[in-house]
Structure formats: C-alpha cells, structure tokens
Amino acid sequence: MSIHLALHALQTLPPSNPNRDDLGSPKTAVYGGVPRARVSSQSWKRAMREHFLSAGLIPAEDLGVRTRQGIGLLTDALLQQSPDLGETATAVAETVLGFVTGATTDTAAARRKTKVTAAPATRETLFLGRRQITRLAELTIPGIDDISAFLKIKENAAAVRAAGSSRDAVDIALFGRMVATGDDLTLDAAVQVAHALAVHRTPVETDFFAAVDDLTRDSGAGMIGRREFLSPTLYRHAVLTGPDLAANLCDYAGAMSPLQVTDAFVRAFAESIPTGHITSYAHTTRPTLLIATVTGTPLNMIGAFETPVETTGGGHQSTAAARLAEHITHTTAAYGDPTARTWLVTTDPDATEPLHTIATRVTSLTELAEACSAELDQRTRQHTARAQA
C-alpha cells in the first residue's frame, strides 16, 4: 500500500467561462443524468503551474516550460554561455534538441514572435526544465565547432542524453511528462487531478454585449456579440502520491524538500483558478470547504453528488458541504483506511459537522497545508525505509 494525500474542495464561481470548448462554450458533462458545468483537469493543472510562479511558491529556476520554442530556449542558453556564437547558436540548439528529444522542426512555423530568440519551432510541444536547458548548453559548448562530431563520441552523447532526460523541475515531478518521440523523457505523474464538476444541474446562459464607439455621435453600437457563461458550485479532487513524488525528484538539484513541494502543491490547489475570460468576469474565488486526507486508499468523492443538489431557497454551498461530509464519513467507514488522518478548513462549520468526528478542523489554509504535508512526508519516509529494508 502506497501513501497518498487526497484533496477535496467545494468552490463556487460567479457567472464565468473559465474553460471553454472549441466553439467558445463552457465545458460541460452529463453526470447523474443531468448536464453539469465542468472544468478540465488540464486547465486547472496549468492554473496551478502558473500559480507556483506568480504566488512565489516555487522559484522560477525550479520549474519547467511547456513549449514548442525549445530551440529558442536552448539558443538563449548557449548565447549566455558564449555571446559571440551568433547565428551558429540556433543551428547547434536545433541539432542538440533533436538529438535528445527526437523532436522535429516545424518549417511552417519557423520564426514566430516569441519570448525567446527567434528560432524554428518544434512540431512537438516539449516540457523542459529550466535547469535542464542550462545544463544542455554547458555540455554542448565544448563541441560547438562541430556538434555532429561531438555527439558521435560515446561519452559526450551519454552525458547530453542524460541531461536531456533529466527531471530537474518541480512541476515535471508533480505532473509528469509525456514525449512520444523520446521514451526516456517520459515520466509518470505523482499527481492525479479530476475534472472539476458542478454538484448541481447547471444551465448555460447567454450574455449579449455591445461595444460603444467612443468617437461617434450616433446611439448605435460599434460592435455586438454573444458569449455563454455559467455559475457553478464545483466539486474538485486531486491526489498526490508521496513515494512517487520522492522518486520523481531524484534528479532535482534545487533547495526544496518533498515536504515543501507538497505544501506548495496544496496551496496552489486551493488558490489557483483558470483564467479564461477573467477580465470579463473577475471570477477569482476560494474553496468554501477544503479537506485533506493522508491515506493508503485515496477515493474520489464525487458520488456524493450523483444525485444533483437541488434547493428551494437558493444556494448550493451548505447543502453540498453537508452531503459531502456525510458521504465521506460513510465511505470511509465502509472502505477507508483506518490509519488515515484528515484535516478540513471551512467557512461553513455547521454544514460539515458529520466530519468533525474523523477530521481535525483547522482555521487556515496555512495550517492545513503544513499539517498534511508533514504527515505525508513522515509516512513516505517510513514507507521508503520499509521498502529498502
């Protein structure tokens, strides 16, 4: 049995469209026979990765970059090492990145406007650690005059490939990496993230809007349009596996411990929000209920809402919190890990009363993150010691 940190949250959004489909409509799913608002796991994982940096939870050099502009990134790193390389740096970067990842150049998007030195884009989107790029540049500089010959030397090729497959980034360790062109770069994630799903039937509404031309005198609109939105109370769930995180951090050269990484992940889970149309809706909210459980049997508790929450007086939060608390209590009794430890932070303590007998109620996200991170770290160390004995 492994050791996991399971997170559950209820979070209400105002009118918003944070995650839309190819037609611009809010994403939905049918669950329990009724349509629900949905925010994809990919959307929220990206929001968490961005929050690591914007909130100062993880240093920039400890994070990766998901991009098709890897050649440009490596070009910049080479130029920092040797500024007099000029255009040679781009050719070398293209050769080296192709060598270590198998990625191919997309000639149709050869020189787009980017945040890095203009260089050919790759057909594949790569997830690259910032230190990984720096290390590749350091290893490449000695063979800059004839990079092809340099890479034919066994020792050089092995060192460059090892740097290319490095896991030296916290978000790569957490969320994994899949590179179809290079199996040695692929890494299974230490984190599972569920699609956020509304606890109630969620109608999609339409907003008609008009833009007025400030410099005309007539009463007409300069532009009119429509867009869709919804207003859900969402159930969110994620799982972090402690031993998997420790293993994925084996190449990590930064200063953060697995305990600190776990703390940052919990905070990002609670504080991040997908930013689609955020300037139109300002939909930044926080969970009204956050539950963290360190356990050997992490369970998704969406079953609490298979029958959609319906209220006559309006509002879904309190009813959903009470139902989730009851569902977790009963499910834990039937299937749960008797050694599990649970913490909760809530703005509606009366609704979560059924949980108070099995969960430690805390007053802040900081307290919850510190407690569950320390417990996961301790149990992961014990698990690792037993496995090595």
Side-chain angles (χ1 to χ4, degrees), residues 74 93-103 126 128 132-133 136 139-140 151 156-166 179 181-185:
L74 185 52
E94 184 175 348
T95 299
V96 170
L97 199 67
F99 178 77
V100 298
T101 68
L126 302 173
L128 305 167
Q132 180 183 9
I133 291 291
L136 281 172
L139 290 171
T140 300
L151 293 174
N156 297 339
V160 170
R161 286 193 182 279
S165 60
S166 168
V179 181
T181 54
D183 289 344
D184 55 339
L185 274 72

Side-chain angles (χ1 to χ4, degrees), residues 68 104-112 119-123:
R68 293 174 61 205
T104 55
T105 302
D106 184 357
T107 55
R111 296 189 180 274
R112 293 182 175 178
T122 56
R123 295 182 185 277

Side-chain angles (χ1 to χ4, degrees), residues 290-301:
L290 178 62
I291 300 168
T293 300
V294 176
T295 177
T297 54
L299 299 173
N300 187 321
M301 297 296 175

Side-chain angles (χ1 to χ4, degrees), residues 78 82 85 88-89 92-93 137 139-148 150:
L78 287 168
S82 183
L85 283 177
T88 303
V92 171
L139 290 171
T140 300
I141 287 295
I144 206 75
D145 293 333
D146 190 344
I147 192 62
S148 296
F150 178 80

Side-chain angles (χ1 to χ4, degrees), residues 21-301:
D21 63 18
D22 57 336
L23 300 177
S25 300
K27 288 188 177 181
T28 59
V30 174
Y31 182 66
V34 302
R36 318 283 187 105
R38 175 174 65 91
V39 180
S40 72
S41 57
Q42 185 72 4
S43 175
W44 223 303
K45 282 189 282 188
R46 175 170 170 77
M48 283 189 269
R49 287 181 53 235
E50 292 181 326
H51 191 74
F52 286 147
L53 188 58
S54 63
L57 296 174
I58 299 175
E61 62 269 20
D62 288 357
L63 295 171
V65 180
R66 181 176 284 118
T67 183
R68 293 174 61 205
Q69 307 302 323
I71 297 172
L73 279 174
L74 185 52
T75 298
D76 281 352
L78 287 168
L79 290 172
Q80 288 177 4
Q81 298 280 335
S82 183
D84 58 344
L85 283 177
E87 293 186 3
T88 303
T90 301
V92 171
E94 184 175 348
T95 299
V96 170
L97 199 67
F99 178 77
V100 298
T101 68
T104 55
T105 302
D106 184 357
T107 55
R111 296 189 180 274
R112 293 182 175 178
K113 185 177 181 181
T114 69
K115 295 180 180 179
V116 296
T117 296
T122 56
R123 295 182 185 277
E124 302 81 7
T125 299
L126 302 173
F127 198 5
L128 305 167
R130 286 177 168 86
R131 264 196 299 267
Q132 180 183 9
I133 291 291
T134 301
R135 180 62 178 153
L136 281 172
E138 292 172 348
L139 290 171
T140 300
I141 287 295
I144 206 75
D145 293 333
D146 190 344
I147 192 62
S148 296
F150 178 80
L151 293 174
K152 288 179 181 178
I153 299 173
K154 184 177 180 179
E155 293 78 6
N156 297 339
V160 170
R161 286 193 182 279
S165 60
S166 168
R167 308 167 181 182
D168 191 9
V170 169
D171 47 353
I172 292 176
L174 285 167
F175 299 118
R177 176 170 62 191
M178 196 284 287
V179 181
T181 54
D183 289 344
D184 55 339
L185 274 72
T186 296
L187 178 68
D188 290 337
V191 169
Q192 306 166 34
V193 180
H195 289 235
L197 203 62
V199 303
H200 53 86
R201 182 190 300 268
T202 319
V204 177
E205 301 180 74
T206 301
D207 175 32
F208 168 83
F209 64 89
V212 177
D213 189 326
D214 291 340
L215 300 182
T216 62
R217 295 185 178 182
D218 58 54
S219 58
M223 183 190 108
I224 59 174
R226 294 176 183 272
R227 64 178 156 222
E228 295 178 321
F229 66 92
L230 31 67
S231 310
T233 293
L234 301 168
Y235 167 76
R236 299 175 52 210
H237 172 61
V239 177
L240 170 59
T241 302
D244 289 352
L245 175 63
N248 286 359
L249 289 172
C250 65
D251 293 336
Y252 173 59
M256 294 185 72
S257 65
L259 185 151
Q260 292 170 316
V261 172
T262 302
D263 186 283
F265 173 73
V266 173
R267 292 172 185 272
F269 177 86
E271 296 174 345
S272 62
I273 193 81
T275 56
H277 283 312
I278 198 164
T279 57
S280 297
Y281 295 109
H283 55 265
T284 302
T285 63
R286 293 287 185 266
T288 55
L289 171 62
L290 178 62
I291 300 168
T293 300
V294 176
T295 177
T297 54
L299 299 173
N300 187 321
M301 297 296 175

